[in-house]
Amino acid sequence: MAQHTADKKEHMEAGGKGQGPRSEQDSESNAEHVTHRKNKSKSGGSPPMKPSQIMEEHPEHNPADLGDSEVVHSSTKIEPAQNPRTRDGKVKQMESHIVALARGITELDNDRKRLQAQVRSARSGSWVTKSSRQIREELSSLEAAMRQWAENYSVAEIRALDSLSIEEKDAILERLDGYCAQVDWTTLIEKSPTMADKIPALLMQALLAKDIFGSIFANPFFAFGESKEPSTAHSSQTLSYLYASMLEVNKEEAHIWRSQTLRLLATPPPNSVHNAPLRAKVEAITSELAIEFLAGPVRLLFRHRNDSWAIQRNQELYQLYHTAGELAISLWTQRSFMRCYCMDELPVFRAEHPVMSAHALHRQHGNDAKLDGKNALIIVHPAIVAFGNEYAEHYDLCKVWAKGIIIVDEHA
């Protein structure tokens, strides 16, 4: 009996030591994000990685505490000695229970941390941190609204654009630099014969995506007219310059400063009837961006009906820009740092790549590799990749908030 008890305890300890560490993916219940681990520097971690490096999930070295093995052992019914085969089966079953227990403990600990952060945010009047699942859903809803708008208001057939000059058509593609691999209209149509009638809607969505994500999501201070990525190339009097300068000193502290600054500006003063100062700026800048977009090459793709039709189209576009602006601010108030990836980062398609997916028009199922290795033709929607977490930690880890949606050159 003593030998049997010792054997069971030995196997239980082996099971506890064999429990694998958990990745950042496990911190989000039922979330599917991609993580990548590097050696973290003292100044705040490695710079953002290109999508080609974001291939596999690498776990963090934070194994769950399995608790006191004696407690588990003492709660187990002691039975007479059994033959080795039966005993091994029970040991394996016990090991699986220990693994499940460890996962449960880690998930409860992550939930506890999140709840505590939310309670602190509620008490201070600041913004509550969003889960990655909620962010993905909101970004997915925005993409669906952009797609629907493009399909509703673009011409229904490619021949409807026959009246345009070749210079006008090429101007559309020139505006899509970084989102379309072709600058020649004739070549583009030749490379997509089976979806030619869908090209106007696809190009309109790509134009909209480039403008919204390039001018609103690219810079946390877009509401102040700073529409490019944070850089010391900005004027020294801008928030973008200040932020970029901080990032060179300490990434964690810089991201905390950016998050807290936007949270304060997005929160109305207590006992005030006035809106937060940042809200008014977001509404104003998104309206300006929508007006500029309507005046661009996208107008060449519009179907024409009547004035009321055009008014409805424009009103829906203003709402799209405003929704995008509010969402972008809510994401920039998080401690995570996000980047948008388009043609430069996603030039070649791979079905199993974690940051890209083929457009539904390709009718690709699962990890079908028929398009693998072929060039991207149009980026209909960029990939949104976030680095770090709500505790201003692990900026050498990343997670995919939205996959890039790609029209692939099937005839390459």
Side-chain angles (χ1 to χ4, degrees):
M1 178 66 71
Q3 180 63 40
H4 169 62
T5 303
D7 289 342
K8 292 184 72 175
K9 182 174 180 180
E10 178 181 354
H11 281 289
M12 286 169 56
E13 292 175 349
K17 293 178 182 178
Q19 169 63 27
R22 301 180 63 77
S23 70
E24 182 181 358
Q25 183 177 15
D26 296 319
S27 67
E28 303 288 350
S29 61
N30 300 321
E32 299 176 359
H33 33 288
V34 177
T35 60
H36 189 97
R37 182 72 170 171
K38 290 185 178 180
N39 292 327
K40 185 175 182 181
S41 69
K42 294 182 180 179
S43 62
S46 306
M49 300 166 289
K50 291 186 177 180
S52 59
Q53 298 172 292
I54 311 170
M55 297 307 304
E56 300 292 340
E57 180 180 352
H58 295 275
E60 298 182 45
H61 299 286
N62 292 321
D65 180 8
L66 299 184
D68 187 355
S69 60
E70 290 294 335
V71 174
V72 178
H73 174 69
S74 63
S75 64
T76 304
K77 182 179 179 181
I78 300 178
E79 299 178 353
Q82 302 172 0
N83 62 62
R85 182 175 300 178
T86 303
R87 184 177 61 190
D88 289 345
K90 287 187 174 293
V91 169
K92 289 181 179 179
Q93 184 178 12
M94 186 175 297
E95 288 175 348
S96 67
H97 289 324
I98 293 175
V99 170
L101 176 62
R103 290 176 178 170
I105 291 173
T106 302
E107 290 172 359
L108 286 173
D109 185 57
N110 289 327
D111 289 342
R112 178 183 59 79
K113 288 181 179 179
R114 187 181 304 282
L115 181 59
Q116 289 176 343
Q118 291 176 349
V119 169
R120 288 194 299 269
S121 296
R123 288 176 177 174
S124 63
S126 58
W127 290 30
V128 176
T129 301
K130 294 182 178 181
S131 67
S132 286
R133 169 188 276 185
Q134 181 182 355
I135 293 171
R136 291 191 187 97
E137 290 175 351
E138 292 178 346
L139 285 169
S140 179
S141 295
L142 178 62
E143 186 276 327
M146 294 166 62
R147 181 179 68 252
Q148 190 64 53
W149 185 86
E151 292 175 352
N152 288 344
Y153 297 109
S154 63
V155 296
E157 298 177 336
I158 192 67
R159 65 182 182 180
L161 302 177
D162 289 345
S163 60
L164 298 180
S165 67
I166 192 64
E167 290 78 15
E168 288 176 314
K169 293 175 180 177
D170 288 346
I172 297 172
L173 302 185
E174 289 174 6
R175 182 61 67 91
L176 280 172
D177 180 38
Y179 277 68
C180 183
Q182 291 295 324
V183 294
D184 179 73
W185 184 270
T186 302
T187 304
L188 174 65
I189 302 304
E190 289 176 351
K191 287 181 172 293
S192 53
T194 60
M195 58 181 74
D197 285 335
K198 301 292 185 181
I199 289 295
L202 294 171
L203 293 178
M204 186 179 287
Q205 184 181 354
L207 284 167
L208 185 58
K210 180 180 179 180
D211 197 59
I212 284 180
F213 287 96
S215 60
I216 294 178
F217 284 81
N219 192 306
F221 307 107
F222 72 90
F224 299 90
E226 304 173 20
S227 59
K228 296 180 180 179
E229 291 187 3
S231 167
T232 52
H234 284 269
S235 168
S236 59
Q237 297 178 344
T238 62
L239 291 170
S240 296
Y241 175 88
L242 186 59
Y243 181 40
S245 300
M246 291 180 180
L247 287 170
E248 294 179 355
V249 178
N250 187 297
K251 286 183 172 62
E252 284 94 343
E253 293 298 328
H255 293 311
I256 291 172
W257 173 85
R258 177 257 303 164
S259 171
Q260 194 63 24
T261 298
L262 290 174
R263 288 186 181 191
L264 288 172
L265 292 174
T267 303
N271 304 320
S272 174
V273 296
H274 300 289
N275 289 329
L278 191 57
R279 297 291 186 184
K281 286 185 173 294
V282 169
E283 185 172 358
I285 195 68
T286 53
S287 295
E288 291 177 9
L289 291 171
I291 292 172
E292 293 175 3
F293 179 74
L294 288 170
V298 71
R299 70 186 189 281
L300 302 171
L301 299 172
F302 286 146
R303 68 174 71 183
H304 300 285
R305 291 190 177 180
N306 50 50
D307 290 344
S308 61
W309 175 266
I311 291 173
Q312 178 180 339
R313 175 197 67 204
N314 294 353
Q315 287 177 339
E316 291 181 8
L317 183 69
Y318 294 147
Q319 185 58 49
L320 261 177
Y321 269 79
H322 182 68
T323 299
E326 291 287 344
L327 176 57
I329 286 295
S330 74
L331 297 184
W332 282 121
T333 61
Q334 313 296 301
R335 298 290 170 81
S336 296
F337 175 83
M338 64 178 167
R339 292 191 62 192
C340 303
Y341 292 140
C342 48
M343 189 67 73
D344 289 342
E345 294 83 10
L346 310 174
V348 178
F349 182 79
R350 278 175 46 202
E352 63 181 11
H353 199 297
V355 299
M356 66 174 69
S357 61
H359 194 282
L361 289 172
H362 288 293
R363 301 183 184 280
Q364 189 180 36
H365 302 287
N367 290 330
D368 185 354
K370 66 179 181 181
L371 299 176
D372 281 12
K374 296 185 179 297
N375 294 330
L377 190 60
I378 303 172
I379 304 294
V380 177
H381 188 279
I384 313 299
V385 180
F387 299 82
N389 60 23
E390 67 253 44
Y391 310 113
E393 300 171 335
H394 306 311
Y395 287 101
D396 51 352
L397 289 172
C398 67
K399 49 200 170 190
V400 179
W401 279 349
K403 287 188 176 185
I405 302 176
I406 302 176
I407 294 292
V408 182
D409 183 1
E410 296 185 4
H411 303 277

